[in-house]
Amino acid sequence: MEQRLSWSFVLVLVLCAACGSATAPDSSGGSADRLVVWDWKSGDATSAAYLDRARADFAKGHPDVEVEFVAQPFDQYYTLLGAAVQAGRGPDVILFNGGGRIRDRADSLLPLDEYVAGDRQRLVGWDAFTKDGKTYASPVTLQGHPLYYDKALYERAGLDPDAPATTWDDFVEDCRTIADRTGATCFGVGNKEGIGIQFFLSCMGSAVLSPAEYDAWTAGKRNWTSPGVKRIFELWQQVDAAGLNNDGVNSTAMFNDAFALFQSGRAAHVIGLMSDVGHWKDFAEFLDPDDIGVMAAPVVDPAATPSLPYDGGIGYGVAKWTRDPALAADLVRSLTSTGALAAFSADAGAITSDTGIDVSAGGPAATAIAAGIKTGKPALHVALPSTTVDLMGRLSQQLLSGSTTVDEALAQLAASDRAG
């Protein structure tokens, strides 16, 4: 039913756009006493307390304003949003992923800098929601790609679970030992959706590129022909060819089949997320929290300095068409208030944008991730245009199937990146 309603809504929006009408369905916002929020989280039980706290915070200053959350299916979310943008009407406040997803739609959003100045020091992850020096959303979570490992498998293999390898060669040797003694693969990987390469690029990037090249990449000065960049994509191929991955990576869904391999002890490592799925809290439902380790990416090039790759994960922006921008921005501030984020952290396991929130109750993995935030750097794939990320997904599958070469893939990615 939810899907049929959603596509009906898209159809109405597209027809409205086609006939030049600004009329929109009831789920559009824009009234002085009602704000409509679009997201893909408000239907989750783990978000209930977070939204309750945010509503309560907002109601303190605006007791007569109704707030309606409309949960959309994530797999259709940006299509639905695109139709709303085309129609020029829709929700007042919108949840976005950081990076290309919001930058591609910045023309439809209000810059929030004047409204969120008071939150700049308390929250981190702003860059993922910034374009041309303007901020288009406030970060709710941080999203990154820690390298998780199973300490119990390390112990069964006779390895020190508290001293994982720090170099790539030692890491591969440990993986072979684990495979021989436990039967587990080195990595649990899913690339059916074409996103496994995003995780690999961002996790391994800081272990291959020099800090200077890494920083240049995230600043937009990318050299797709450099030996380091080529090495990352060669590794993507070689890891699979060497049997370090589970079988059938291109037919394995990252969400959640690849994570299931790790949780069930069939893979010793997985490049996971910080929040709020595929992360330490999810893994702890199946593994002892004390057995969930987080390690730095093993160094491939001695010139590299591994760091935690992370950015702002999800955040709320304000649509350009909202009737009262200050009112909508106040709701964004409530959705990123410390009380609301603390509830989201406790219930969903999210590493939130408010680093003052204590996550030690989450166990060693959450503590290790939080400790890496201070020295972490933006993830490499988040810096890319969304069209290039999508292309990279398709090419990564071809690299594993042998239907393209690394040089051919990098040439296409460079051209896409230049086109923006």
Side-chain angles (χ1 to χ4, degrees), residues 65 91 106 139 164 180 185 193-194 206 257 268 288-289 378 382 397:
V65 178
D180 289 344
T185 62
E193 311 96 328
S206 67
D257 294 347
D288 188 318
V382 177
Q397 294 170 332

Side-chain angles (χ1 to χ4, degrees), residues 47-351:
S47 301
Y50 160 62
L51 295 181
D52 285 346
R53 294 289 293 271
R55 285 179 186 273
D57 185 82
F58 181 73
K60 292 176 185 175
H62 309 283
D64 299 325
V65 178
E66 176 190 359
V67 178
E68 179 185 0
F69 287 87
V70 181
Q72 304 286 6
F74 181 70
D75 60 347
Q76 301 164 25
Y77 186 74
Y78 288 103
T79 301
L80 293 163
L81 189 57
V85 169
Q86 186 179 4
R89 289 287 301 272
D92 303 279
V93 175
I94 307 168
L95 184 64
F96 281 96
N97 295 100
R101 292 293 192 185
I102 188 169
R103 292 184 185 123
D104 290 351
R105 297 166 177 82
D107 289 346
S108 302
L109 300 172
L110 286 174
L112 295 181
D113 299 271
E114 66 177 296
Y115 303 109
V116 300
D119 300 325
R120 299 297 300 197
Q121 297 302 314
R122 181 175 58 88
L123 305 178
V124 298
W126 294 96
D127 288 350
F129 304 102
T130 299
K131 181 178 182 180
D132 298 331
K134 296 180 180 178
T135 303
Y136 290 95
S138 288
V140 173
T141 66
L142 301 180
Q143 189 57 281
H145 302 277
L147 179 55
Y148 294 94
Y149 70 102
D150 186 336
K151 291 186 175 183
L153 284 176
Y154 268 63
E155 280 198 292
R156 283 175 54 195
L159 301 174
D160 184 348
D162 296 319
T166 58
T167 68
W168 181 254
D169 289 344
D170 289 346
F171 176 75
V172 172
E173 186 61 30
D174 285 354
C175 284
R176 291 187 175 127
T177 299
I178 291 170
D180 289 344
R181 298 180 181 176
T182 72
T185 62
C186 181
F187 286 108
V189 183
N191 201 44
K192 183 177 181 180
E193 311 96 328
I195 60 176
I197 186 64
Q198 298 175 28
F199 287 40
F200 189 83
L201 170 66
S202 288
C203 177
M204 291 302 302
S206 67
V208 180
L209 304 181
S210 69
E213 185 171 12
Y214 193 104
D215 294 343
W217 175 290
T218 57
K221 300 172 183 176
R222 292 180 279 274
N223 179 3
W224 288 92
T225 63
S226 81
V229 172
K230 185 174 181 179
R231 183 71 180 117
I232 296 171
F233 286 84
E234 288 174 339
L235 271 181
W236 169 253
Q237 269 190 320
Q238 293 167 1
V239 164
D240 196 63
L244 299 180
N245 293 335
N246 48 277
D247 293 337
V249 166
N250 278 348
S251 58
T252 302
M254 177 68 78
F255 299 95
N256 289 308
D257 294 347
F259 298 130
L261 293 170
F262 179 72
Q263 294 167 176
S264 61
R266 286 177 288 166
H269 308 84
V270 71
I271 302 171
L273 296 169
M274 288 165 58
S275 64
D276 51 344
V277 294
H279 67 337
W280 56 274
K281 191 174 180 66
D282 280 353
F283 301 151
E285 294 181 12
F286 304 91
L287 302 174
D288 188 318
D290 289 335
D291 286 337
I292 304 171
V294 174
M295 60 185 288
V299 171
V300 178
D301 187 319
T305 303
S307 59
L308 176 67
Y310 79 93
D311 297 88
I314 56 175
Y316 286 98
V318 174
K320 184 174 286 184
W321 52 74
T322 194
R323 181 169 296 178
D324 188 338
L327 182 69
D330 275 355
L331 179 56
V332 169
R333 296 199 68 197
S334 293
L335 286 163
T336 54
S337 62
T338 295
L341 295 182
F344 200 34
S345 177
D347 290 358
I351 303 294

Side-chain angles (χ1 to χ4, degrees), residues 8-49:
S8 298
F9 180 58
V10 170
L11 180 60
V12 171
L13 284 172
V14 171
L15 290 174
C16 288
C19 67
S21 170
T23 303
D26 289 343
S27 57
S28 295
S31 66
D33 57 359
R34 179 170 176 262
L35 291 173
V36 174
V37 184
W38 273 20
D39 62 28
W40 61 90
K41 290 292 184 186
S42 54
D44 297 346
T46 56
S47 301

